[in-house]
Amino acid sequence: MELSKNYLPGDIEAKWYQHWLDKGYFNSKPDHRESFTVVIPPPNVTGVLHMGHCLNNTIQDILVRRARMQGKNACWVPGTDHASIATEAKVVAMLRERGIAKSSIGREEFLQYAWEWKEKYGGIILQQLKKMGCSLDWDRTSFTMDDAYYKSVIDVFVDLHKKGLIYRGKRMINWDVKAKTALSDEEVIYKEVKSKLYYVRYQIAESDEHITIATVRPETILGDTAICVNPDDERYQHLHGKYAIVPLIGRRIPIIADEYVTTDFGTGALKVTPAHDMNDYQLGQKYNLEVIDTMNDDGTMSEAAQLYLGEDRFEVRKKIVPELEGKGHIVKIEDYTNQVGFSERTDAVVEPRLSLQWWVSMKELAAPALKAVMEEEIQFHPAKFKNLYRHWMENIKDWCISRQLWWGHRIPAWYTPDGQYAVAATKEEAYSKLKAQSSGLTIADLRQDDDCLDTWFSSWLWPFEVFKGFSDPGNAEVKYYYPTNTLVTAPEIIFFWVARMIMAGEAYMKEIPFKHVYFTGIVRDKQGRKMSKSLGNSPDLLALIDQYGADAVRFGIMISSPAGNDILFDESALEQGRNFNNKLWNALKLIKSWESRIESSSLTAQGSQPSSFATDWFESRLSQVKQEVETLMQQFRLSEALKTLYSLVWDDFCSWYLEWAKPGFEQPVDAAVYNKTIGYFEEMMQLLHPFMPFITEEIYQLLRQQEEDLCIKQQTITGKSNHDILRAGELLKQVISALRDARNKNQIKPKDPIKLHIETVDQTPYQNITGILSKQVNAEKIDFESASTNNMIVVAVEKDKFFIETEKQLDTTSLKAELLKDLEYQKNFRDSVLKKLSNERFVQNAKAEVVELERKKMADAEARIKNIEESLKNI
């Protein structure tokens, strides 16, 4: 079979993914093996694959494929989230295109359209994950509104209400005027905004005096019900108990005194608008102030505002300022930068609003979830997120879980015509609770709550309910797969989801939901901006896969992704991935080209030189890397593990080993060397497979007839490294590089032979490498005799000197200039190390091995300087 010039991923990736599916490699059933379970953070049904999904799912796939190759029963559960706000917005937009308004159709008809949309578009993102090579168990695909899952969400609500942990209350909430729903505190994103600070004058009632307040929201003046000052502020003590007049509408409001007001912000006088500010509402409760809600649910002014009825709040701001100015109420306007809350879903400016909603009391649920992380029963990677988690959990607020939406899990509360209600899983159960309290009540009289539950109220059950852990307690699957092993997620949903899953797991399974949480960074563009459609800086992931191949995309995102740190995405990383694919492919073609030249036992005839050292060295290097990668993977340092493998393949295998092991022109290949080389290549493909599954499987199958697929091949036990051979290999690489560099600088062509004289106090390291050395630098003779320095190039490597003898007349002027340049560099390097070692704090505080390494650098630099100085004397 003739191999293509370059690796062509398209057909190969489709071929292998279908093959793995046909073989059922991704399917899992409970058995005698150790389980390794990962549940996918369910993407929204509205979603299409973006770079964040690429990073998150590549990491999960690496962990799952590695576990499968370790002999564990790997189970990776796919699924999607119904995403109330996002999906409802999509359906409303679809209806608008068809000329249908949501308000003109009933709930049932709207839900029919929503399910139609979900069936058509909801599975797209899961199909896209297949293009990435994700080894998910597709037979287990879950959806947060599947029948059994839906019932579990409702039953959890009923249970928590019964325990007194869910209650209904009128409180200040965050209101999304675009989605027309309440939001939890975690769904509000605060951004720094350049605003204006307006100084507005209020007349004191029955007086010519005025009091000035400062506000960034002049449109809320229409809802003012008090002015508050600090009781110790001497400027306003004479006004305590008096009244002020609200500009434009003439409302008479009290002036109250409370320590909440700081004397040094603005004017020290605060307008109090209980319906439109969280803190003002607290003051209103304390002083029994009137609450005047001046806004409708869409952010337009209500009848209570008296002015600008039906106009948008921001339009009103533009209009009210000139009117206030015209009537002499504006004292001055200043530029002002402040934090403004935006809806995480719609990006609308959030409006604080007094509203009757459903809440979860969080303190009792949070306690065991905080303990599990702080005592490291659950480990965070990186661990720095523990402090963020602790701070939030120790200051946790009750969770607003009702949303004014139709798409989602409908709140199981049922109301009588006179306002009484019961929480129950069904209408019938609610009726049996309510009929004794209301005479003449019929079941037809009951009306279910119109609101839906917050999306996160369903997804907090995800790790156990995908195995029916709540709906079918103690079943064989949940006992086998739960708790799961690793959750891979983004730090921005640590409170939305991670914390709440731990709470739900502790509450309903009496066990943590996962043992490790790997936090990815945020994928940003080269300028450090978060990727978004609006900025146009979010690349089309499927187009990138078509262009570079899935393996190259996976490589590109992982090579620049240390855990928890943001990633500055650059397409050049994908090009690096494609180049790596081609490097692997070319190595395969080179080795396959040896097949026609294999001869048995030529190795023993030629002694141990040169191929046996090459194979011994690479075997040790491979064992060393296996151990390094194993340690890095256990520490969740996946990016560093990939870099280590990349260096092993590109540098050690392709640049060095294949050069040392390959036969001369038209020379035979020793069968033992060939077979070992194939074996090393197979082992490298096995190590790389979790990161780059497609090319590794393809190369593995092309190397020779295989008994099983790489996807399920068990990892071999790590052998021991021979440190003497590894040191000799490093010495060989240094010497070859230095001698090639010297040949090049002195314009000695590669085909021109040289004689090499080595001056060293210890010939032992060179015993096994002179054969390779002579081949690599084209030396017709190597000896360890003292050499005359006439017409010779002198090269210093560590403490040894190498004299290159050539028939070509050397340019001593250039040679001297080169040595002087190298001498200056070595002296500067020595001085920088000396400076570090002269620093007492460094020597006292650094680890002993670090200090020892610096001392070795110093000694080596001194030896090189001595060698160069002697060489200069001899020119």
Side-chain angles (χ1 to χ4, degrees):
M1 174 187 172
E2 190 175 343
L3 298 174
S4 58
K5 183 186 175 189
N6 289 322
Y7 175 67
L8 303 171
D11 292 342
I12 290 170
E13 291 176 354
K15 172 187 77 175
W16 283 117
Y17 198 84
Q18 191 56 52
H19 174 78
W20 296 327
L21 287 178
D22 293 343
K23 290 284 190 179
Y25 292 152
F26 306 158
N27 297 345
S28 175
K29 294 277 187 293
D31 61 23
H32 63 281
R33 292 174 294 168
E34 178 188 348
S35 67
F36 184 89
T37 317
V38 173
V39 292
I40 196 172
N44 291 350
V45 286
T46 58
V48 290
L49 219 52
H50 56 61
M51 296 312 294
H53 292 126
C54 176
L55 172 62
N56 186 294
N57 288 289
T58 297
I59 291 166
Q60 290 175 82
D61 197 41
I62 290 166
L63 297 175
V64 169
R65 284 181 181 273
R66 178 171 174 267
R68 197 177 284 122
M69 295 171 84
Q70 289 174 321
K72 296 174 185 174
N73 188 348
C75 178
W76 185 13
V77 181
T80 50
D81 188 287
H82 65 282
S84 293
I85 295 176
T87 306
E88 185 141 330
K90 292 277 188 186
V91 177
V92 168
M94 177 187 79
L95 291 173
R96 193 183 301 120
E97 285 174 11
R98 298 183 189 181
I100 303 168
K102 177 188 171 185
S103 56
S104 70
I105 58 175
R107 186 186 197 111
E108 294 309 313
E109 192 178 346
F110 177 83
L111 289 176
Q112 285 174 12
Y113 283 117
W115 280 106
E116 174 196 319
W117 190 94
K118 185 264 175 188
E119 294 307 319
K120 189 172 181 180
Y121 300 106
I124 289 175
I125 196 162
L126 297 181
Q127 294 306 314
Q128 291 173 333
L129 288 172
K130 293 178 181 179
K131 286 273 285 182
M132 276 180 54
C134 294
S135 58
L136 291 138
D137 184 350
W138 296 107
D139 292 346
R140 294 183 175 275
T141 305
S142 293
F143 177 52
T144 50
M145 281 174 61
D146 286 339
D147 290 345
Y149 201 111
Y150 191 106
K151 184 177 184 303
S152 295
V153 174
I154 299 306
D155 288 346
V156 165
F157 183 100
V158 173
D159 179 66
L160 290 176
H161 182 268
K162 188 177 175 183
K163 291 172 178 171
L165 294 175
I166 282 182
Y167 63 93
R168 191 169 179 243
K170 195 167 191 177
R171 293 169 55 174
M172 288 297 286
I173 51 99
N174 305 290
W175 185 259
D176 183 333
V177 300
K178 192 171 179 183
K180 296 184 187 175
T181 183
L183 302 172
S184 67
D185 290 345
E186 292 72 41
E187 289 168 298
V188 179
I189 308 297
Y190 286 90
K191 302 178 191 177
E192 201 170 79
V193 173
K194 287 183 168 44
S195 303
K196 298 286 183 187
L197 190 61
Y198 302 93
Y199 288 78
V200 184
R201 224 159 43 153
Y202 290 57
Q203 187 178 346
I204 305 300
E206 292 91 38
S207 164
D208 293 333
E209 201 176 348
H210 292 84
I211 186 168
T212 301
I213 61 92
T215 181
V216 290
R217 302 192 64 200
E219 69 278 10
T220 62
I221 282 171
L222 305 176
D224 288 355
T225 56
I227 287 176
C228 189
V229 295
N230 189 294
D232 299 326
D233 193 332
E234 294 178 358
R235 293 173 294 174
Y236 303 121
Q237 282 177 342
H238 67 291
L239 297 176
H240 294 182
K242 294 193 175 183
Y243 289 83
I245 306 298
V246 178
L248 305 184
I249 54 172
R251 182 184 301 124
R252 184 181 161 95
I253 59 173
I255 297 172
I256 59 175
D258 192 277
E259 290 174 350
Y260 167 73
V261 180
T262 55
T263 57
D264 55 356
F265 175 74
T267 64
L270 175 80
K271 67 189 245 4
V272 183
T273 320
H276 297 288
D277 183 274
M278 302 280 186
N279 297 313
D280 288 10
Y281 178 70
Q282 301 295 329
L283 281 172
Q285 292 284 91
K286 188 173 179 179
Y287 293 100
N288 199 26
L289 299 175
E290 187 182 1
V291 178
I292 300 172
D293 188 352
T294 61
M295 283 184 209
N296 297 313
D297 61 6
D298 61 356
T300 59
M301 305 312 282
S302 68
E303 287 188 12
Q306 301 182 43
L307 302 174
Y308 310 109
L309 272 58
E311 294 188 50
D312 181 78
R313 54 191 168 151
F314 295 121
E315 287 303 312
V316 172
R317 184 178 299 177
K318 291 175 190 172
K319 290 181 177 181
I320 201 170
V321 172
E323 188 169 347
L324 287 167
E325 278 182 309
K327 295 183 177 175
H329 293 292
I330 297 287
V331 177
K332 62 177 176 175
I333 301 172
E334 293 178 346
D335 289 332
Y336 183 66
T337 301
N338 62 325
Q339 294 283 322
V340 175
F342 289 79
S343 167
E344 188 228 5
R345 292 291 181 203
T346 66
D347 206 37
V349 173
V350 167
E351 194 62 51
R353 193 177 192 206
L354 188 63
S355 183
L356 186 62
Q357 302 287 345
W358 290 91
W359 305 80
V360 179
S361 179
M362 297 298 278
K363 280 206 167 9
E364 185 181 321
L365 291 167
L370 174 59
K371 183 169 178 272
V373 172
M374 298 321 293
E375 294 183 0
E376 299 208 334
E377 190 182 358
I378 297 172
Q379 292 185 15
F380 283 0
H381 307 276
K384 66 181 181 181
F385 288 107
K386 271 175 68 176
N387 288 333
L388 179 70
Y389 179 86
R390 188 190 73 229
H391 178 76
W392 185 76
M393 293 291 270
E394 288 177 347
N395 297 280
I396 199 161
K397 295 177 184 174
D398 286 358
W399 174 16
C400 176
I401 54 168
S402 42
R403 298 289 179 271
Q404 288 61 55
L405 301 163
W406 285 349
W407 172 251
H409 304 82
R410 194 171 180 182
I411 289 174
W414 310 81
Y415 299 86
T416 64
D418 62 358
Q420 294 183 69
Y421 70 89
V423 168
T426 65
K427 192 174 188 178
E428 289 71 25
E429 288 173 42
Y431 178 64
S432 65
K433 287 182 178 181
L434 289 166
K435 63 183 178 182
Q437 302 167 30
S438 304
S439 58
L441 183 72
T442 67
I443 195 166
D445 293 329
L446 295 186
R447 176 187 61 81
Q448 189 176 354
D449 198 305
D450 283 325
D451 290 352
C452 280
L453 288 162
D454 178 12
T455 296
W456 300 104
F457 191 85
S458 53
S459 54
W460 73 332
L461 312 181
W462 189 252
F464 55 82
E465 192 46 32
V466 293
F467 302 112
K468 308 230 173 346
F470 182 85
S471 51
D472 182 14
N475 74 73
E477 291 225 327
V478 80
K479 281 163 78 174
Y480 181 74
Y481 292 116
Y482 187 92
T484 68
N485 290 74
T486 304
L487 175 76
V488 181
T489 190
E492 60 257 42
I493 56 171
I494 190 170
F495 312 128
F496 283 132
W497 195 44
V498 179
R500 290 169 182 164
M501 279 191 289
I502 300 171
M503 293 180 210
E506 294 277 16
Y508 288 106
M509 295 288 107
K510 307 302 178 197
E511 205 172 356
I512 56 170
F514 28 72
K515 297 162 194 149
H516 300 274
V517 182
Y518 179 108
F519 289 107
T520 66
I522 295 169
V523 184
R524 301 182 181 276
D525 65 12
K526 283 190 281 188
Q527 298 171 45
R529 301 175 304 174
K530 192 172 178 179
M531 289 186 168
S532 68
K533 286 181 189 172
S534 58
L535 286 174
N537 63 347
S538 185
D540 180 341
L541 185 56
L542 291 182
L544 292 177
I545 290 173
D546 288 341
Q547 184 179 352
Y548 295 98
D551 285 328
V553 171
R554 289 167 65 120
F555 174 94
I557 197 82
M558 285 307 302
I559 204 78
S560 47
S561 305
N565 292 343
D566 289 356
I567 297 104
L568 297 182
F569 176 76
D570 189 337
E571 209 168 308
S572 63
L574 274 55
E575 290 170 15
Q576 186 185 359
R578 182 170 59 190
N579 293 342
F580 188 39
N581 279 342
N582 287 329
K583 190 77 169 177
L584 290 164
W585 196 248
N586 288 334
L588 170 69
K589 289 199 294 181
L590 174 66
I591 294 165
K592 295 295 278 184
S593 74
W594 296 354
E595 285 181 344
S596 60
R597 295 151 61 192
I598 298 171
E599 284 186 12
S600 298
S601 303
S602 60
L603 183 67
T604 49
Q606 64 187 35
S608 62
Q609 292 271 14
S611 296
S612 73
F613 175 81
T615 54
D616 291 347
W617 170 76
F618 194 77
E619 193 167 312
S620 274
R621 181 71 186 115
L622 185 57
S623 294
Q624 184 184 39
V625 166
K626 278 184 179 179
Q627 197 58 58
E628 286 173 19
V629 168
E630 180 64 24
T631 302
L632 290 168
M633 294 298 285
Q634 287 174 0
Q635 296 170 346
F636 288 88
R637 291 158 65 189
L638 276 61
S639 183
E640 290 165 70
L642 178 57
K643 285 173 185 170
T644 302
L645 291 172
Y646 176 76
S647 177
L648 174 75
V649 172
W650 193 287
D651 300 328
D652 296 319
F653 187 71
C654 294
S655 298
W656 294 112
Y657 172 73
L658 290 180
E659 288 297 310
W660 297 350
K662 76 180 180 183
F665 182 65
E666 294 185 345
Q667 294 295 307
V669 180
D670 181 79
V673 171
Y674 175 78
N675 287 325
K676 282 190 174 184
T677 303
I678 294 286
Y680 299 150
F681 210 159
E682 286 173 341
E683 287 195 68
M684 290 191 303
M685 293 306 92
Q686 198 171 7
L687 289 169
L688 259 178
H689 181 76
F691 296 88
M692 304 170 76
F694 295 112
I695 190 169
T696 50
E697 185 77 78
E698 177 74 3
I699 288 176
Y700 179 76
Q701 301 294 344
L702 289 171
L703 281 168
R704 58 182 162 192
Q705 189 70 38
Q706 303 291 357
E707 293 180 3
E708 62 183 338
D709 292 331
L710 183 60
C711 181
I712 54 163
K713 183 175 168 61
Q714 304 303 288
Q715 286 186 342
T716 51
I717 303 299
T718 304
K720 286 188 176 177
S721 300
N722 182 319
H723 293 291
D724 290 336
I725 288 178
L726 287 172
R727 275 194 292 271
E730 285 307 305
L731 174 64
L732 180 58
K733 288 194 278 185
Q734 278 183 283
V735 172
I736 292 169
S737 298
L739 296 180
R740 281 176 174 172
D741 188 44
R743 288 183 63 125
N744 188 42
K745 284 174 180 170
N746 288 278
Q747 298 179 340
I748 302 172
K749 293 174 183 175
K751 66 179 182 181
D752 294 341
I754 59 167
K755 291 186 176 72
L756 184 64
H757 310 282
I758 304 173
E759 189 177 298
T760 178
V761 293
D762 182 12
Q763 295 180 21
T764 311
Y766 294 94
Q767 285 175 357
N768 293 321
I769 64 176
T770 51
I772 293 175
L773 180 58
S774 63
K775 187 173 87 167
Q776 294 288 295
V777 299
N778 195 9
E780 58 188 5
K781 178 189 174 189
I782 295 179
D783 63 43
F784 293 90
E785 298 167 6
S786 295
S788 158
T789 54
N790 293 335
N791 202 41
M792 285 192 188
I793 304 162
V794 186
V795 178
V797 177
E798 301 298 335
K799 297 174 183 176
D800 298 342
K801 275 199 283 191
F802 298 81
F803 298 88
I804 298 173
E805 184 181 340
T806 176
E807 293 177 5
K808 182 177 184 286
Q809 190 61 38
L810 298 175
D811 181 349
T812 54
T813 306
S814 296
L815 184 56
K816 186 174 182 179
E818 202 61 51
L819 285 169
L820 286 168
K821 184 179 172 185
D822 194 16
L823 181 65
E824 184 185 8
Y825 171 80
Q826 295 296 344
K827 283 183 174 179
N828 287 338
F829 177 74
R830 176 200 61 188
D831 293 346
S832 69
V833 177
L834 182 61
K835 189 178 178 183
K836 197 181 279 188
L837 289 170
S838 302
N839 184 335
E840 284 184 27
R841 285 180 65 188
F842 169 75
V843 176
Q844 287 171 3
N845 297 327
K847 290 180 181 176
E849 58 265 31
V850 173
V851 176
E852 193 53 44
L853 181 63
E854 292 301 316
R855 287 190 175 130
K856 184 180 183 306
K857 285 181 188 175
M858 181 80 175
D860 290 346
E862 292 281 14
R864 285 193 292 270
I865 288 166
K866 186 181 176 186
N867 279 344
I868 295 166
E869 286 174 340
E870 284 180 12
S871 300
L872 283 164
K873 283 179 196 170
N874 294 325
I875 290 178

